[in-house]
Every structure is written in C-alpha cells, then in structure tokens.
Amino acid sequence: MSNVGIIGLGHYLPERRLTNFDLEKMVDTSNEWIISRTGIRERRIAEITERNSDLAIKAAREALKNAKLDPHKVELIIVATISPDTSFPSVSCLVQKAIHARHAAAFDIGAACSGYLYGITTAKQLIQNGLFKNALVIASEKISTYMDWTDRNTCVLFGDGAGACVLSKVRGNRGIISDYLHAEGHFGGLMAIISKERKALDQKTTTMDLPRITMQGKELFKAAVNSMAKAALIAIKKAKLKLSDIDCLVPHQANDRIISAVARKLGLPKDKIFVNIDQYGNMSSASIAVALYEAVEQGKIKRGSNVVLVTFGAGLVSAANVVKW
Ligand code: UT7
C-alpha cells in the first residue's frame, strides 16, 4: 500500500510586525523579559480588515502552486483554526470559493495549537481509505482578535499567520509514516477564551466583554514539555524508528524554553530542532505549519529526512506525526 505524503507547502504572514519595543510602549513589559522568558522578538499582526480566510487563501494558493495541483482537482479542504472569520460559513468553505475548488468537500477543525496535525492525520486517513485522492490542509489564525492588549501575561506571546500543505499518495517509502492524537479535556481550564457574563434579555442593558485569552502559564509550561516529549516518543516508536534516526524535529512554537526542555527530555541536540518563535511568537495551529515550511525552505529538511512534527495546546490537545520526507 502506498503512503500518503506532503507534496507541496505554502504559508502567509501578515506584513505588520509588532516588536517587543512596540509592546514596551503598550504594557508594563520589557524586551529583555520577553526574550529571556519566551525567546520572542517580534510577531506579525493582521490588519483589522484582513480576515482569517484572507491569510488561509494566500497560504493555500502557494501550497497548490508548489504541489502543481489545479484547484479544480482538490477533493478535500480542511482548515485548522480557533479564530475563524465567523462560525459559518467555515473558513474552509471561504477558501473553497476563493480558489474555485468546486469539487472539494470542506470543513474546519478546532484543536487549537494541535489543529494542523489533527487535520493532516484526518486527511491522511481519508485519502488512505480511498474516499479522496488529495487534500489541502491549512492552519490559519488571526489570534490577535482575542488579544487583550492591556494584559501583559498574554499579549506579548501571540501572533497571526497561516501555513498549508497538499497531501496525496506518494511513491516509495516516503510519506507520513506514523500518527498520534491525544486530548486531556480535564485540564481544559488551564487555557481558555472567556467572555464576561451577558445580561439577560429582560434586563435594561446588555454588557459583554470581548472574548479574550486567559492562561495559567506555569502549569501549561510543564504540561507542554511532558505532552510533547511523550507524543514525539510514541510517534517515533509507532514509526519503528529510534531517536537517533531523527534528522529534524519541528515542534509547536509556544516558548523557546519549552522547546529546549523537550530537546533535553528527549536527549536530542538543539541543532536538530527547528525554532522560529523569535520572529512570529505563538501562532497557535499556524506555528508548526509555518515552521515546517521554513525548515524545508532553509534546507533543514531534505528528501529522505526523518521528520517529527509535534504539537501541544489548549484543550489540552497534543499530536505528533513522523514523516519520511
Ligand atoms: O500554545 C500552547 C499553550 N501555551 C503555552 O504552553 C505557554 C506556556 N507557558 C509559558 O510559556 C510561560 O509560563 C509564560 C511565558 C507564559 C510565562 O513565563 P514564566 O516564566 O512562567 O513567568 P510567570 O508567569 O511565572 O511570571 C513571572 C513574573 C510575574 O511577576 P511576579 O509575580 O513574579 O512579580 C509576572 O507578573 O513575570 C511577570 N510577567 C511579566 N513581566 C514583564 C508576566 N508577563 C510579563 C511580561 N513582562 N509580559
């Protein structure tokens, strides 16, 4: 049976850069604190008029071009996102319309920072089962929508962006060779999007704060390190590989100290781990999509490389894939 593999990648990053120095003027923080505690130097922020689907469409077009796949031939579109334009139409349907993928099925996946790998694994199975010949999987986030720009605990951490890939059957031993999906809903309170209570219809005024992100950073930090190390090890074992066989590990980019701790726990040298958090911050599901794109672009992943993709995020939800490139 032939494997399902990634045949094209795309990405899009909004032009506007928000640096740590810009944030120093907005909240009680400093460039030194942000770099030493997170590794982030700047992040991209979409314009108010730029919607999540605008980012997704640009990433999708590049992935299709790189895969040399005509949009009319796309059979499935999955968008991983926690920051869609609206609840419906789904971002995947907005992408379908924009790229004229008339023959595609389309749906969104909500698995926070793990959404891209949840999407890739779902699409892989649907192709393997014979339901579809190919799939366009996109991770797109306009997470700035949920930012409370007066809360220094969260507003320094996140950024907007999108990444995409095209999956189809591939020849030889390359392709996605193992999958691991996991969730721990009982820890869901550690990171959530909350709004204050809405007043009932029979009351005189209706007040509702805008939805915004809250998180318990220290607890999440520990959970992130343990979950990502565990997910990576399980996926590597399922792929019947050893840690020493791994050429590149691409992790979710939430904090450079989390990534270093995962590297130490696994005993992997840091030069085998791809990091770009300094430029983009945490883009939720889009972080690993953009990191994978850049790791390939920079030659850190080449034909034949054994690659581990591993993520962790709100839910709590973790995931990993081993890919033979
Ligand atoms: O996407 C997946 C889910 N997200 C994660 O996995 C994130 C996991 N957590 C983290 O990355 C880290 O816990 C943070 C970066 C969020 C925070 O780093 P920390 O080293 O755990 O800091 P802390 O929350 O313990 O805060 C230390 C101090 C506090 O001051 P006091 O109470 O010690 O006086 C904070 O108020 O740093 C203060 N602080 C800040 N200071 C300057 C918090 N945010 C800032 C800030 N600038 N932006």
Side-chain angles (χ1 to χ4, degrees):
M1 190 168 62
S2 52
N3 289 331
V4 174
I6 295 172
I7 61 161
L9 292 167
H11 77 316
Y12 176 73
L13 295 153
E15 272 174 32
R16 183 172 171 200
R17 291 163 201 264
L18 186 72
T19 66
N20 293 349
F21 298 106
D22 296 327
L23 283 160
E24 280 183 353
K25 294 178 203 136
M26 296 161 61
V27 285
D28 181 15
T29 191
S30 66
N31 178 47
E32 291 72 27
W33 190 95
I34 302 171
I35 290 179
S36 66
R37 305 315 291 162
T38 72
I40 303 166
R41 290 175 186 276
E42 60 180 41
R43 66 290 288 143
R44 303 296 180 90
I45 304 293
E47 299 300 328
I48 298 261
T49 51
E50 216 171 5
R51 293 159 303 179
N52 179 315
S53 57
D54 295 323
L55 315 189
I57 290 161
K58 287 179 175 146
R61 286 198 169 120
E62 189 187 9
L64 289 171
K65 191 170 165 227
N66 287 334
K68 298 188 178 60
L69 182 67
D70 186 321
H72 288 97
K73 294 195 171 145
V74 174
E75 299 196 358
L76 172 66
I77 303 170
I78 297 178
V79 175
T81 189
I82 47 150
S83 50
D85 301 16
T86 65
S87 301
F88 56 84
S90 63
V91 179
S92 52
C93 282
L94 295 169
V95 171
Q96 181 199 24
K97 180 180 166 195
I99 66 171
H100 307 294
R102 285 193 203 95
H103 306 295
F107 63 92
D108 289 2
I109 276 189
C113 309
S114 292
Y116 193 54
L117 300 192
Y118 264 64
I120 285 177
T121 297
T122 304
K124 173 194 147 175
Q125 300 300 334
L126 293 172
I127 294 170
Q128 205 119 56
N129 290 346
L131 191 59
F132 301 111
K133 286 196 185 65
N134 59 52
L136 173 62
V137 181
I138 306 162
S140 184
E141 302 291 3
K142 187 179 175 183
I143 205 159
S144 57
T145 310
Y146 297 124
M147 229 22 73
D148 175 354
W149 294 108
T150 64
D151 178 11
R152 70 176 185 174
N153 291 302
T154 53
C155 75
V156 304
L157 303 175
F158 296 93
D160 301 331
C165 66
V166 176
L167 302 184
S168 82
K169 287 205 171 157
V170 288
R171 292 208 184 98
N173 66 348
R174 72 191 195 97
I176 302 160
I177 50 180
S178 77
D179 323 282
Y180 172 73
L181 303 179
H182 186 62
E184 293 174 289
H186 46 287
F187 292 127
L190 293 181
M191 185 172 182
I193 291 183
I194 59 152
S195 303
K196 283 208 179 130
E197 269 178 58
R198 214 189 274 256
K199 285 194 178 172
L201 194 60
D202 55 2
Q203 295 190 4
K204 277 185 190 146
T205 52
T206 301
T207 56
M208 194 180 92
D209 273 11
L210 289 171
R212 61 180 192 275
I213 291 179
T214 60
M215 60 192 272
Q216 295 175 38
K218 278 208 186 312
E219 288 71 18
L220 274 176
F221 191 108
K222 281 181 244 156
V225 175
N226 291 331
S227 304
M228 286 209 287
K230 182 180 158 199
L233 286 174
I234 293 173
I236 292 167
K237 195 172 170 203
K238 282 180 155 191
K240 298 188 175 53
L241 293 175
K242 298 187 294 296
L243 263 168
S244 53
D245 297 323
I246 302 309
D247 300 300
C248 185
L249 184 136
V250 184
H252 172 50
Q253 313 275 317
N255 186 324
D256 191 38
R257 289 187 298 131
I258 293 178
I259 296 171
S260 299
V262 171
R264 278 197 300 277
K265 218 172 160 79
L266 294 176
L268 270 181
K270 192 99 191 267
D271 64 0
K272 284 195 173 182
I273 304 199
F274 189 78
V275 182
N276 64 359
I277 190 173
D278 55 319
Q279 299 167 67
Y280 309 120
N282 181 348
M283 298 183 284
S284 189
S285 67
S287 270
I288 193 160
V290 173
L292 177 62
Y293 179 96
E294 292 195 342
V296 173
E297 190 184 40
Q298 293 170 23
K300 305 260 161 64
I301 296 174
K302 303 184 187 72
R303 182 56 69 93
S305 296
N306 290 320
V307 181
V308 178
L309 307 174
V310 61
T311 54
F312 163 84
L316 302 177
V317 182
S318 53
N321 294 96
V322 173
V323 185
K324 180 111 184 148
W325 207 257

